[in-house]
């Protein structure tokens, strides 16, 4: 289900502004929140489209995951030796 932008009511909403309690498309988000400094501080939550994949993990998260797997394999091989 797609959420329509509350401002222009034409485009699909991409972000949800917590302060305004409004769903906005990228264009309106920029327009509304560039209006003044206070608006620029509004926290926006990205609306994830169910059809698109989840937000990709950052490099650090991926590295942490890799390290965890490495540690697991290390400990298992250690237990085999001893
Ligand atoms: Zn809009
Ligand atoms: Zn806002």
């Amino acid at each position: 289900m797609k959420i329509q932008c509350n401002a222009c009511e034409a485009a699909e909403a991409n972000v949800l502004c917590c302060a305004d309690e409004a769903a906005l498309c990228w264009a309106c988000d920029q327009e509304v929140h560039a209006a003044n400094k206070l608006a620029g501080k509004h926290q926006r939550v990205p609306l994830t489209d169910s059809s698109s994949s989840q937000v990709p993990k950052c490099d650090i998260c991926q590295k942490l995951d890799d390290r965890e797997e490495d540690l697991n394999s290390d400990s298992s091989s250690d237990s085999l030796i001893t």
Side-chain angles (χ1 to χ4, degrees):
M1 195 180 81
K2 285 183 179 176
I3 302 165
Q4 223 174 30
C5 171
N6 290 162
C8 62
E9 295 184 332
E12 183 190 346
N14 295 115
V15 292
L16 187 74
C17 177
C18 301
D20 296 326
E21 291 186 348
L24 301 166
C25 66
W26 291 127
C28 292
D29 170 51
Q30 290 225 316
E31 201 175 297
V32 167
H33 294 110
N36 58 61
K37 271 189 181 178
L38 198 70
K41 285 181 181 174
H42 287 175
Q43 195 165 22
R44 273 95 81 198
V45 180
L47 294 166
T48 45
D49 193 342
S50 57
S51 63
S52 66
S53 59
Q54 288 285 313
V55 179
K57 281 185 179 177
C58 72
D59 285 352
I60 294 163
C61 294
Q62 281 178 339
K63 275 173 194 163
L64 283 174
D65 275 358
D66 286 349
R67 201 183 300 165
E68 212 167 311
E69 277 170 33
D70 284 349
L71 284 173
N72 284 341
S73 57
D74 278 355
S75 59
S76 61
S77 57
D78 278 353
S79 60
L80 278 175
I81 294 159
T82 50

